[in-house]
Amino acid sequence: MTIPPPDLSGAVDMSHGGGGRAMARLIRDIFLRHLANPLLDQGHDATRIDAGSGRIAVTTDAHVISPLFFPGGDIGSLAAHGTLNDLAMAGARPVALTAAFIIEEGFPLADLDRIAASMGQACRAAGVPVATGDTKVVERGKGDGVFITTSGIGVVPAGVDIGPRRLRPGQAVLLSGPIGDHGIAILSKRQGLEFGTEIRSDSAALHRMVADMVAVVPGIAVLRDPTRGGLSATLNELTNAAGVGMLLDERAIPVRPEVAAACELLGLDPLNIANEGKLVCVCEPEDAETLLAVMRDHAEGRDAALIGHVTVGQPGFVRMTTAIGGQRVVDWLSGEQLPRIC
């Protein structure tokens, strides 16, 4: 028997969050239709997961973005990628995700279906299921369309110990690819800006690339994804935590020409722009070329580059040799450059 498709012509109302028939139908027609897998199909409040042996890594992240749909992705795929990448930055192999949706009354069911479908597609492509979830509805005017909170569970392989306390002077700083794509894609869509060519978000899952990196160099010191605040915030956070300095080479930092042009037009620094599919890797200098080769074997790391090194002087400061040969301090961004970016 062919099951007819659900009716998505309506909108979310308060009954969809009330725990009754309407809520069950919403979960069945949208979330289970796109996210179904053996873990979620257990139907329990707490899902049982066989994580194998090893240490467990756990992360959680709330996703609020405007607009909800943007070139290169939407809040659904972004929520999956963001949590998968947080696990990967610990060197963990993701096992399962959870997803909680807070939906505003009046939100179109067709848009909610599109978001759930995107999340489901991202999870299937990553090979990591949504194991459990929750749905809440708030009154009209007390939300902003939809917010998503995702958590992730992963297993850290034996011998992997990644963290800022392992930063040492002389280590190499690697970047997996061009920066600024996500933030400029969001800004252009939000403000209706045209730059002559479409700039797409770099939102992507990085865990497979990281798994290959860790397999060849288990001694990687640090992995970080430069999301909010961009590359500058990530590197300043690391240097402050470890009490070391960093020196970057501006000419080595990849930035797409269209992103650089947009930033120049808008008076923005690409180093401060959010990314959703890039990583920073700090490693021993003798491991740099090996790790760059591994990254370049993946689409997500095709343009990976060595961009600087950890220094002993000026702890807590990130400096950069500019394209014209001078030096400047790469400081934290002051204030919120782009609100609701991820």
Side-chain angles (χ1 to χ4, degrees):
M1 182 179 67
T2 302
I3 300 175
D7 180 9
L8 301 176
S9 60
V12 173
D13 61 42
M14 293 305 298
S15 69
H16 286 113
R21 187 186 304 275
M23 183 174 179
R25 187 177 295 124
L26 179 77
I27 292 170
R28 180 199 66 198
D29 289 348
I30 291 184
F31 298 119
L32 291 180
R33 188 160 62 92
H34 294 297
L35 303 177
N37 63 79
L39 291 177
L40 195 60
D41 292 347
Q42 289 181 27
H44 299 304
D45 285 343
T47 299
R48 297 180 300 274
I49 300 172
D50 180 7
S53 60
R55 294 164 293 157
I56 298 295
V58 179
T59 187
T60 190
D61 201 2
H63 305 272
V64 294
I65 190 165
S66 177
L68 298 174
F69 304 94
F70 49 84
D74 56 65
I75 192 172
S77 58
L78 178 72
H81 291 157
T83 300
L84 290 168
N85 291 346
D86 284 348
L87 289 172
M89 296 309 104
R93 174 181 61 84
V95 174
L97 303 180
T98 75
F101 289 76
I102 300 176
I103 313 161
E104 184 180 13
E105 180 184 18
F107 191 73
L109 287 172
D111 285 349
L112 185 61
D113 184 76
R114 181 180 169 190
I115 290 167
S118 177
M119 176 181 280
Q121 182 178 9
C123 290
R124 286 188 293 273
V128 182
V130 172
T132 188
D134 190 31
T135 304
K136 294 291 187 294
V137 177
V138 297
E139 293 92 340
R140 190 186 303 267
K142 294 188 177 180
D144 196 1
V146 61
F147 301 145
I148 303 176
T149 295
T150 45
S151 296
I153 301 170
V155 178
V156 182
V160 173
D161 181 20
I162 293 173
R165 61 184 174 75
R166 294 192 54 219
L167 287 177
R168 299 287 186 274
Q171 290 173 331
V173 181
L174 315 180
L175 178 65
S176 64
I179 58 173
D181 296 7
H182 178 71
I184 295 301
I186 297 300
L187 181 62
S188 62
K189 183 69 173 179
R190 183 184 295 166
Q191 302 296 335
L193 302 176
E194 298 289 343
F195 297 115
T197 183
E198 184 180 59
I199 298 174
R200 297 177 64 81
S201 169
D202 62 344
S203 181
L206 304 177
H207 60 294
R208 290 193 175 101
M209 182 172 73
V210 169
D212 288 348
M213 293 167 65
V214 169
V216 297
V217 183
I220 290 172
V222 172
L223 292 170
R224 284 291 174 91
D225 51 341
T227 53
R228 281 176 297 179
L231 184 63
S232 62
T234 295
L235 298 184
N236 273 282
E237 185 179 304
L238 291 174
T239 55
N240 275 265
V244 296
M246 280 189 188
L247 180 62
L248 309 179
D249 180 355
E250 183 177 31
R251 293 166 298 182
I253 299 174
V255 183
R256 298 187 198 280
E258 57 270 32
V259 171
C263 287
E264 184 175 0
L265 177 67
L266 298 169
L268 303 175
D269 186 341
L271 297 177
N272 294 333
I273 305 297
N275 312 274
E276 285 295 341
K278 299 296 184 295
L279 66 79
V280 172
C281 172
V282 183
C283 64
E284 298 305 322
E286 60 268 23
D287 294 326
E289 288 303 321
T290 298
L291 287 168
L292 287 171
V294 173
M295 285 192 274
R296 290 167 182 162
D297 275 344
H298 292 259
E300 297 82 10
R302 187 173 295 121
D303 299 312
L306 170 64
I307 64 168
H309 60 274
V310 182
T311 63
V312 66
Q314 296 184 294
F317 283 90
V318 179
R319 295 170 294 134
M320 183 167 70
T321 302
T322 66
I324 60 173
Q327 276 197 9
R328 74 174 178 93
V329 173
V330 178
D331 205 356
W332 300 81
L333 177 66
S334 177
E336 185 79 62
Q337 188 176 45
L338 296 175
R340 296 205 46 198
I341 201 70
C342 59

